[in-house]
Amino acid sequence: MFKENKRKIIVTSFLTLLPMYVGCILWNRLPDEIATHFSADNIANGWSSKPFTVFAIPIFLLIAHFLGLMATAADPKQKNIGPKPLQFVFWIVPAISFIMTVSIYANALGYAVDIGFSCSLLLGLILIILGNTLPKAKQNYTFGFKLPWTLHDPENWNRTNRLAGWCMVAAGIVILATSYWHNSWIIFAALLTILLLPTVYSYIYYIRHTRQQ
């Protein structure tokens, strides 16, 4: 995987670290303490030093990027993931790095940035993209609803991840539609539905088909 995607890994790694270079350019304009955590009401409730914000956050995200790629490369059923879901694995962290750090820098420089709105938009878009790519993946150990009964039954896997894809798209649309209010309870309910509904459906499917055998 690493040899075949060497150029893509370099590009995505560079984009993940790009906010670090931007932070160096803006260094003299950034305050010594930068708000890096915000409440649901868009109120800053956590601060970090300028060096930590500029250097540590992109580096942590780069580490997360490589851990995700390494986990995917170690998957014995990696070929079943499919090209489109694999693109999601490559580009999710760079996208998060760019949007998150740009919002933090803009807020630190005094620009009116609604962090909660930006996060809701990002989450909604991620869910819609993920919901459209999830059903395309066949059985694997990295991408999808990896339950004991889905991993042993291709039909259960396909049905469960198809339902999960629909749930993610619906949840993403709801979060986008309500992103202006960035209501944390709506987000929590949407994410809980994504987690529980496909899991319960998958288990019921497993029980029914086990009894029929």
Side-chain angles (χ1 to χ4, degrees):
M1 173 181 167
F2 284 93
K3 289 183 179 180
E4 308 91 79
N5 297 282
K6 184 177 180 180
R7 181 176 299 178
K8 190 178 297 180
I9 292 172
I10 293 174
V11 171
T12 54
S13 299
F14 172 78
L15 292 176
T16 301
L17 291 177
L18 184 60
M20 185 168 63
Y21 305 128
V22 175
C24 290
I25 294 172
L26 299 173
W27 187 266
N28 293 329
R29 297 176 57 192
L30 293 171
D32 292 332
E33 293 291 323
I34 300 174
T36 53
H37 191 274
F38 300 81
S39 68
D41 299 324
N42 203 48
I43 298 174
N45 57 10
W47 287 263
S48 300
S49 66
K50 180 162 54 176
F52 182 89
T53 304
V54 173
F55 298 107
I57 291 179
I59 290 174
F60 286 153
L61 289 171
L62 182 66
I63 293 172
H65 181 50
F66 272 100
L67 288 175
L69 294 179
M70 289 171 64
T72 305
D75 190 336
K77 294 186 177 182
Q78 177 203 136
K79 293 182 179 180
N80 286 350
I81 296 176
K84 289 188 177 181
L86 193 59
Q87 291 299 316
F88 184 88
V89 175
F90 272 105
W91 292 101
I92 180 62
V93 173
I96 291 174
S97 176
F98 177 79
I99 295 175
M100 182 178 72
T101 51
V102 165
S103 298
I104 290 174
Y105 289 160
N107 182 77
L109 294 173
Y111 294 99
V113 178
D114 191 331
I115 303 293
F117 177 72
S118 300
C119 291
S120 294
L121 279 182
L122 177 61
L123 178 60
L125 288 173
I126 287 175
L127 288 175
I128 291 173
I129 295 171
L130 183 57
N132 277 285
T133 56
L134 191 64
K136 297 178 175 64
K138 298 178 182 179
Q139 286 173 309
N140 67 89
Y141 296 99
T142 305
F143 193 87
F145 271 72
K146 304 175 291 296
L147 303 169
W149 41 89
T150 59
L151 291 172
H152 288 86
D153 183 355
E155 186 62 24
N156 194 326
W157 171 279
N158 292 333
R159 288 175 177 270
T160 299
N161 284 282
R162 192 177 303 120
L163 174 61
W166 280 106
C167 290
M168 287 178 181
V169 171
I173 292 173
V174 170
I175 291 174
L176 284 179
T178 60
S179 57
Y180 179 77
W181 298 279
H182 39 78
N183 189 310
S184 57
W185 286 106
I186 293 177
I187 295 176
F188 176 77
L191 296 178
L192 190 63
T193 300
I194 293 172
L195 177 64
L196 292 181
L197 190 58
T199 301
V200 172
Y201 168 83
S202 176
Y203 184 70
I204 293 174
Y205 183 91
Y206 163 73
I207 293 297
R208 288 180 175 177
H209 284 75
T210 300
R211 289 175 178 174
Q212 291 175 2
Q213 293 177 357

